[in-house]
Amino acid sequence: MDDIIQIEGVSKSYKDVLVLDNVNCAFERAKIHGIVGRNGSGKTVLLKTICGFIHPDKGRVVVDGKIIGQDIDFPKNIGAIIEAPGFLPTISAYKSLEYLASLRNVVGKEVIRQAIVTVGLNPDDKKHVGKYSLGMKQRLGLAQAIMENPDILILDEPMNGLDNSGVSEMRDLFLNFKAEGKTIILVSHNSEDIKMLCDTVCEMDRGILSSVNE
Ligand SMILES: Nc1ncnc2c1ncn2[C@@H]1O[C@H](COP(=O)(O)OP(=O)(O)OP(=O)(O)O)[C@@H](O)[C@H]1O
Ligand SMILES: [Mg+2]
C-alpha cells in the first residue's frame, strides 16, 4: 500500500493531560480520510503534528518518507486549514494571498487569482478581509490552502460557516482533488460530509484513534 502519511506511536501531553495516546495509523495516497470525534478529543492536535506545528512527546510522523522534525521541519507540498484561518484584517483577499505567497515566492498573480475564483470569491473585490463574513473567511482559508497546488490537504472543519452552495462546491472541489491524486485528511462533525467524501474514517476518543468500520 502506498501510504503518504504514517503516524507511529504518537503521544502528546499538555501538563499532565494525555491528549494523544499512542496514535498509530497510516493514510493512503489519493484518498480522502475522515477523522471524527467529540470536542476536545485531540483531532486538531493530531493535525498539527502532521503539519509539524507541534512535536509529539513520543513517536513520529512520517510524511512522504520524511520524518517530521528530524528529516524536515515541515512537510513539503501540504496545504492546511486548521481552525479559523487568520488573516490581516485591513487588506483585500487578493492582497492577503499575495502577501502569503510572497513569503515563499512560489506562485504568481494568475495562480492566486485562480485560487480565489475556485473558492467562489472575487479577486478584484477590494473589501478588507476583516469585513468578510465567516463563510467568506473560510473560503479564503481554503484558497490559501490550495493555492500552491499541494499534494496533501489537511482540512479541519473546512465547511464551517459555508452556505449550502458553498458546501456542495467544496465537496466537488475535494473530490476533484482526489481525482488528481491528492490526499485529503478531513476533520468534520458533519456525518453527511464524512459519508459522501471519505474513503476511510477514524474516530478520536480521548486521544485514542481507532478506525471506524462502516
Ligand atoms: N496548546 C495547548 N495547551 C494546552 N492544552 C491544549 C493545547 N492544545 C490543545 N489542548 C488540549 O488538547 C485537547 C484536545 O484538543 P483539540 O483541539 O485537539 O480537540 P478537537 O478534537 O480538535 O476538538 P474540537 O472538535 O472542539 O475541535 C483539549 O483538551 C485541549 O484543551
Ligand atoms: Mg478541533
Side-chain angles (χ1 to χ4, degrees):
M1 226 195 306
D2 184 12
D3 294 326
I4 191 165
I5 300 171
Q6 289 143 305
I7 298 170
E8 301 173 355
V10 164
S11 293
K12 175 80 187 169
S13 298
Y14 285 111
K15 300 263 164 65
D16 48 1
V17 180
L18 191 55
V19 170
L20 296 179
D21 185 355
N22 189 30
V23 173
N24 286 285
C25 71
F27 297 114
E28 194 182 343
R29 193 184 297 271
K31 293 258 158 52
I32 303 181
H33 304 279
I35 301 178
V36 300
R38 64 177 76 166
N39 296 139
S41 57
K43 302 178 302 295
T44 296
V45 172
L46 181 66
L47 297 188
K48 287 178 177 171
T49 66
I50 296 172
C51 296
F53 298 153
I54 58 179
H55 297 295
D57 303 328
K58 272 193 221 148
R60 60 184 203 170
V61 175
V62 184
V63 179
D64 227 355
K66 300 266 192 310
I67 302 170
I68 304 309
Q70 190 171 315
D71 298 334
I72 198 166
D73 285 337
F74 303 103
K76 282 202 171 135
N77 300 326
I78 204 162
I81 175 165
I82 293 193
E83 293 173 337
F87 293 101
L88 296 171
T90 56
I91 54 177
S92 70
Y94 177 83
K95 285 278 170 204
S96 298
L97 297 200
E98 186 183 53
Y99 167 69
L100 290 165
S102 73
L103 300 176
R104 311 217 306 133
N105 200 21
V106 287
V107 298
K109 277 195 170 63
E110 210 29 61
V111 173
I112 297 172
R113 292 179 61 86
Q114 191 50 51
I116 295 173
V117 171
T118 300
V119 299
L121 295 173
N122 174 6
D124 296 315
D125 186 355
K126 298 286 179 271
K127 185 187 275 186
H128 290 170
V129 171
K131 299 203 171 99
Y132 271 28
S133 70
L134 177 65
M136 289 168 82
K137 281 185 198 145
Q138 193 71 13
R139 286 171 186 254
L140 185 58
L142 281 162
Q144 187 215 321
I146 64 173
M147 79 174 163
E148 292 180 12
N149 193 28
D151 296 328
I152 304 170
L153 268 180
I154 303 287
L155 303 172
D156 196 355
E157 300 178 44
M159 308 299 201
N160 256 356
L162 293 188
D163 56 25
N164 290 340
S165 63
V167 168
S168 80
E169 286 161 30
M170 291 312 139
R171 284 178 180 167
D172 289 346
L173 183 70
F174 300 159
L175 291 170
N176 285 336
F177 261 74
K178 177 174 104 161
E180 288 170 10
K182 296 174 190 299
T183 309
I184 300 180
I185 312 284
L186 172 69
V187 166
S188 175
H189 292 296
N190 183 309
S191 51
E192 191 84 356
D193 288 334
I194 293 286
K195 209 186 291 170
M196 180 164 290
L197 295 171
C198 295
D199 300 294
T200 75
V201 183
C202 289
E203 181 170 10
M204 187 69 92
D205 184 12
R206 282 164 288 190
I208 296 174
L209 189 70
S210 40
S211 102
V212 174
N213 299 313
E214 284 161 288

